[in-house]
Amino acid sequence: MASDYGVKMKLKVERTLDSTQRSKWIDFLERCENSHARQHPVFAFAEHGKGRHAIFVWGEEGGEIVSVAIFSLNNLCKFHWFILDAVALSGPCFLDAKTGQEFIKLFIDYAKKRHMSNVRISPYWFYPEAEVLEKAIRDLGFIPMKGRGGESNRQYTGIVDISLSKDEILANFSKSARREVRRATRQEVTVKYASTFLEAQLFYNALNDMNRDRHMPVVSENEYTEMYNNIFNTQDVGVIINAYKGGVFLGGIWLMRVGNNANVSQFVVSPEALHNLSNLRIAPFIWYEAMCWAKDKGCKNFDVEGYVEDVDKSNPMYNIYKYKREFSPKGVYRINEYIFVISRAKYNIQHGFDVINKAKRRIIKYFQIGFTKIMSLR
């Protein structure tokens, strides 16, 4: 499937990477300031677990890699020739806006020749530096995805500086958060990196329980099996950190990293187990351990993945932002997801399927809530 496109920059497209290509890809990510772990080769396996295909795309100049992207392909009814969309999760990655614009343009040309429906991108760039990239993306014909980020077309998040010493990182926590870390230590709470499938499964079971309670989609067994086999068992690019008290699971966090950047993906707790510990707030303890892991891996930035500094109590995310505020993240904005529509007909088909699936989830959620209310009256 190897393909070359472009004049100055050569676009390479492969379904798999050999050892040399993989090594060059990872080396590029490690030195790219705006890299995200989702663009590490191992995350292609996560897409396989979701039933999607992934392709590796990179740009070369003078034989050197200057941009990379893993695109996840959504095929209608498994027909390889009917690709609805190509999605780069927190990517592509490139060194500067001009290079990124050329790389994205070359991939659009490739996508058109492959009769794709649309291309979606979300480079891991922060403002104000991202302003020049946003203009370059819009000049290519990309538009913001609707319903994401409101008028600003930006994602809100927070970055914790973990280039400091571990003591300084903890000192920047709020007074109450530091107290909870000490309290967890006194109560002999311990953490363990999930090094076996059963330990990882313990975390995912808790995650799916939480998602069911919130009427959100659960993680399939195929997906977390692929994640463990290709990501968590090495504890290099991604890790699950579980907290225990006397062998009882209290909660855990899943994070990933590449280069200077670490990103939190999921965080879960066991309310019943924590209630037995006088309602210990385990979040500060687990998140501090996560920051220490990322720092030991050479990271300098810890993205809490979703954060607003000033938010009203009426906001449904208020409690989540409140506990994240205890870690003293700096509120920042990053580029939101953008889409380039190639085939309006295919895009409308995809949109129709999305509407149907959302309606199905709403119906299921409605009956789940109703059943829960009925059971609570018994």
Side-chain angles (χ1 to χ4, degrees):
M1 186 181 171
S3 304
D4 287 2
Y5 293 85
V7 181
K8 180 181 178 183
M9 181 188 295
K10 297 295 184 180
L11 190 74
K12 306 284 186 175
V13 183
E14 295 280 5
R15 291 193 180 275
T16 60
L17 299 177
D18 61 32
S19 59
T20 300
Q21 293 166 339
R22 175 185 165 88
S23 178
K24 288 183 176 181
W25 185 294
I26 295 173
D27 287 345
F28 175 78
L29 287 179
E30 291 290 344
R31 61 185 174 88
C32 182
E33 182 179 350
N34 299 298
S35 60
H36 191 287
R38 285 285 185 184
Q39 289 298 311
H40 193 285
V42 296
F43 278 92
F45 294 100
E47 296 307 302
H48 297 163
K50 297 175 184 177
R52 297 170 68 103
H53 300 280
I55 56 174
F56 298 93
V57 185
W58 69 98
E60 286 187 0
E61 290 183 2
E64 296 295 325
I65 291 180
V66 294
S67 48
V68 300
I70 297 176
F71 280 96
S72 177
L73 307 181
N74 181 23
N75 300 84
L76 179 63
C77 301
K78 308 302 181 183
F79 294 147
H80 298 291
W81 52 268
F82 205 122
I83 300 175
L84 288 180
D85 60 10
V87 183
L89 301 176
S90 293
C93 301
F94 33 77
L95 297 177
D96 57 75
K98 183 178 180 181
T99 300
Q101 184 185 45
E102 183 178 359
F103 175 70
I104 295 168
K105 183 180 184 300
L106 289 176
F107 184 76
I108 290 295
D109 293 340
Y110 171 85
K112 288 178 179 178
K113 293 177 181 179
R114 293 285 174 166
H115 307 292
M116 295 182 186
S117 164
N118 61 82
V119 174
R120 290 157 50 190
I121 61 174
S122 52
Y124 193 59
W125 278 55
F126 295 93
Y127 292 90
E129 290 80 7
E131 290 176 354
V132 63
L133 177 59
E134 184 176 29
K135 182 181 184 303
I137 291 173
R138 288 177 178 270
D139 287 347
L140 289 175
F142 280 82
I143 59 174
M145 289 288 290
K146 292 182 179 180
R148 296 174 181 265
E151 293 296 327
S152 69
N153 299 317
R154 301 179 180 186
Q155 294 184 35
Y156 309 98
T157 190
I159 303 293
V160 177
D161 181 4
I162 58 173
S163 66
L164 307 173
S165 70
K166 293 179 180 179
D167 288 342
E168 289 172 324
I169 293 172
L170 183 58
N172 283 337
F173 280 23
S174 69
K175 183 177 179 180
S176 62
R178 296 196 303 271
R179 183 171 60 247
E180 291 299 321
V181 173
R182 292 192 297 268
R183 186 178 167 205
T185 303
R186 287 197 305 270
Q187 295 192 32
E188 298 181 337
V189 175
T190 60
V191 296
K192 189 176 189 304
Y193 303 157
S195 57
T196 68
F197 182 79
L198 291 179
E199 290 170 346
Q201 191 174 36
L202 187 65
F203 173 87
Y204 272 103
N205 287 342
L207 174 62
N208 280 340
D209 287 343
M210 180 184 72
N211 286 346
R212 291 188 188 96
D213 289 342
R214 297 178 178 179
H215 309 287
M216 295 170 60
V218 299
V219 181
S220 70
E221 183 175 353
N222 284 341
E223 183 178 351
Y224 74 69
T225 298
E226 289 284 359
M227 294 284 280
Y228 173 77
N229 289 339
N230 297 284
I231 301 172
F232 300 127
N233 64 341
T234 64
Q235 299 173 5
D236 180 37
V237 179
V239 68
I240 291 174
I241 303 176
N242 290 337
Y244 301 88
K245 165 66 175 178
V248 177
F249 175 79
L250 303 180
I253 193 169
W254 159 26
L255 66 153
M256 49 196 166
R257 67 99 214 163
V258 70
N260 290 329
N261 306 316
N263 301 75
V264 173
S265 179
Q266 300 288 346
F267 170 66
V268 297
V269 298
S270 173
E272 183 178 348
L274 293 173
H275 178 72
N276 296 330
L277 291 175
S278 302
N279 292 317
L280 171 70
R281 287 197 303 116
I282 198 66
F285 183 74
I286 295 179
W287 282 67
Y288 176 63
E289 292 293 334
M291 293 176 195
C292 290
W293 176 86
K295 179 176 179 59
D296 288 342
K297 292 294 183 179
C299 297
K300 298 179 180 179
N301 309 308
F302 189 93
D303 191 338
V304 301
E305 289 288 357
Y307 175 71
V308 177
E309 290 182 333
D310 297 314
V311 63
D312 189 82
K313 288 185 178 181
S314 62
N315 190 303
M317 298 293 290
Y318 174 78
N319 288 329
I320 294 177
Y321 295 154
K322 181 182 177 182
Y323 87 73
K324 289 182 179 180
R325 188 179 301 126
E326 294 190 299
F327 313 138
S328 298
K330 177 184 177 182
V332 295
Y333 306 99
R334 58 167 288 197
I335 283 186
N336 214 331
E337 187 174 27
Y338 274 75
I339 183 171
F340 183 96
V341 177
I342 298 172
S343 169
R344 178 59 61 177
K346 288 184 180 181
Y347 177 75
N348 289 339
I349 292 175
Q350 178 186 7
H351 181 67
F353 274 96
D354 289 342
V355 171
I356 293 172
N357 289 331
K358 287 179 181 178
K360 286 168 60 178
R361 287 195 293 269
R362 288 195 186 101
I363 293 172
I364 293 172
K365 180 178 180 179
Y366 174 81
F367 282 105
Q368 286 178 331
I369 294 174
F371 179 75
T372 302
K373 288 181 177 178
I374 292 173
M375 294 302 292
S376 66
L377 298 174
R378 295 183 63 180

